[in-house]
């Protein structure tokens, strides 16, 4: 009888980081893997990072998937690739150069291309981006945390810049080619990683203008640094506001509003005697 290992995640078509390691630990293990002067094992990474060997081993698969390390002779033994050695050399020069080199190493990955295309028109809600990446990676709900860690990694290396209200903006310093129009951006999300964003020689069409949201004067002012819930909910949501949301943002908004309506109906309902 075949025994099934507990907590075995469902397979995905695209590699995801482990959810047993936080983003800063993931980066430390990645750096130690690239900086190894010879072959190494998870036990060697534990000595270099103070992260338990078992958790280091969970990170190795993701680092290897994007060409920074490779399998070496011996059981569970690895070594840096030429690309990994370049990242390590840049990291030795400075933290900023090391993170830039890692961004460049991930430039052709499915998550970098998809995220840069998704945010090419401006910032988007984190929940919408996570939903997008889950769909593209065909991850189920049990792997939701892995996608969250993936977004944390992109923030940590400087690809994404958090903004107020749960929004994420593509960092202009992370130089990844952007799509020329909104329609091409959406098409590129489902295209293969090596497919060009635009066919050679084809002239891009101008994107349709998006209405601006209502001016700040229409929103009640607040004396605090952060708007409270009443002030955020009191102004009506206009069509111009909704036009600036993506499809993923609209789905997330619908889900949250429906849940809020259900809870309010229970709170305002007649008491049971």
């Amino acid at each position: 009888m075949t025994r099934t290992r507990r907590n075995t995640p469902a397979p995905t078509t695209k590699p995801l980081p482990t959810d047993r390691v936080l983003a800063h630990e993931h980066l430390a293990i990645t750096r130690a893997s690239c900086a190894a002067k010879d072959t190494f094992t998870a036990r060697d990474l534990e000595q270099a990072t103070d992260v338990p060997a078992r958790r280091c081993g969970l990170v190795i698969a993701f680092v290897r998937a994007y060409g920074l390390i490779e399998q070496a002779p011996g059981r569970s033994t690895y070594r840096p690739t030429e690309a990994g050695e370049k990242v390590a050399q840049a990291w030795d020069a400075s933290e900023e150069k090391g993170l830039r080199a890692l961004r460049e190493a991930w430039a052709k990955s499915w998550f970098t291309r998809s995220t840069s295309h998704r945010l090419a028109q401006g910032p988007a809600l984190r929940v919408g981006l996570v939903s997008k990446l889950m769909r593209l990676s065909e991850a189920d709900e049990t792997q939701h945390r892995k996608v969250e860690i993936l977004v944390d990694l992109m923030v940590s290396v400087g690809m994404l810049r958090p903004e107020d209200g749960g929004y994420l903006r593509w960092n202009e310093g992370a130089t990844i080619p952007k799509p020329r129009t909104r329609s091409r951006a959406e098409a590129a999300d489902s295209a293969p990683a090596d497919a060009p964003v635009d066919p050679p020689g084809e002239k891009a069409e101008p994107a349709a203008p998006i209405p601006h949201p209502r001016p700040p004067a229409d929103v009640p002012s607040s004396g605090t640094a952060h708007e409270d819930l009443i002030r955020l909910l009191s102004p009506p949501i206009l069509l111009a506001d909704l036009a600036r949301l993506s499809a993923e943002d609209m789905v997330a908004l619908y889900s949250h509003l429906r849940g809020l309506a259900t809870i309010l109906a229970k709170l305002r309902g007649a008491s049971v005697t």
Side-chain angles (χ1 to χ4, degrees):
M1 180 177 178
T2 303
R3 299 182 63 184
T4 303
R5 180 178 296 179
R6 294 179 61 188
N7 299 327
T8 300
T12 64
T13 58
K14 298 177 176 64
L16 292 170
T18 177
D19 56 354
R20 304 294 180 86
V21 176
L22 298 178
H24 72 278
E25 295 175 319
H26 197 295
L27 289 181
I29 296 169
T30 300
R31 180 175 184 176
S33 300
C34 295
K37 301 303 181 184
D38 200 351
T39 59
F40 65 90
T41 64
R43 185 66 63 185
D44 297 321
L45 294 178
E46 178 181 15
Q47 295 177 358
T49 63
D50 292 329
V51 179
R54 183 174 179 276
R55 293 165 63 191
C56 289
L58 297 175
V59 175
I60 286 177
F62 186 80
V63 180
R64 183 185 177 191
Y66 296 102
L68 297 179
I69 61 174
E70 61 185 5
Q71 187 79 43
R75 183 178 179 181
S76 300
T77 304
Y78 304 89
R79 62 191 173 200
T81 62
E82 183 177 347
E85 291 175 349
K86 290 181 179 179
V87 171
Q89 291 171 2
W91 232 318
D92 287 341
S94 70
E95 183 76 10
E96 180 181 356
K97 291 181 179 179
L99 294 178
R100 184 188 309 132
L102 187 55
R103 293 197 300 267
E104 293 172 355
W106 287 349
K108 294 183 179 180
S109 67
W110 71 272
F111 58 87
T112 300
R113 292 176 60 88
S114 299
T115 301
S116 64
H117 294 155
R118 172 68 183 80
L119 302 181
Q121 303 299 328
L125 285 171
R126 177 181 174 120
V127 64
L129 177 60
V130 169
S131 175
K132 181 78 169 183
L133 295 176
M134 286 190 67
R135 181 175 64 82
L136 291 176
S137 63
E138 299 181 6
D140 58 28
E141 192 57 36
T142 63
Q143 295 182 300
H144 181 272
R145 177 61 180 164
K146 292 185 176 183
V147 180
E148 292 281 1
I149 294 294
L150 179 60
V151 174
D152 288 342
L153 274 174
M154 288 190 281
V155 172
S156 298
V157 301
M159 286 183 178
L160 301 177
R161 187 171 71 248
E163 295 190 344
D164 293 338
Y167 282 84
L168 292 173
R169 178 183 293 276
W170 183 256
N171 190 354
E172 296 300 330
T175 55
I176 304 297
K178 296 181 180 179
R180 299 178 184 175
T181 66
R182 179 181 295 272
S183 60
R184 296 186 190 279
E186 295 170 352
D189 284 337
S190 58
D194 56 352
V197 176
D198 290 307
E202 182 177 346
K203 185 177 180 181
E205 299 177 359
I210 300 298
H212 292 287
R214 59 178 174 271
D218 293 344
V219 182
S221 59
S222 173
T224 61
H226 301 284
E227 297 287 350
D228 58 32
L229 188 58
I230 293 299
R231 294 184 183 278
L232 287 174
L233 292 178
S234 57
I237 298 177
L238 305 180
L239 182 59
D241 300 319
L242 298 178
R244 302 183 67 83
L245 298 180
S246 67
E248 289 77 19
D249 293 339
M250 291 291 292
V251 171
L253 177 62
Y254 171 78
S255 177
H256 292 315
L257 288 177
R258 183 167 184 173
L260 178 61
T262 301
I263 296 299
L264 290 177
K266 291 182 180 180
L267 293 175
R268 302 305 182 209
S271 60
V272 179
T273 58

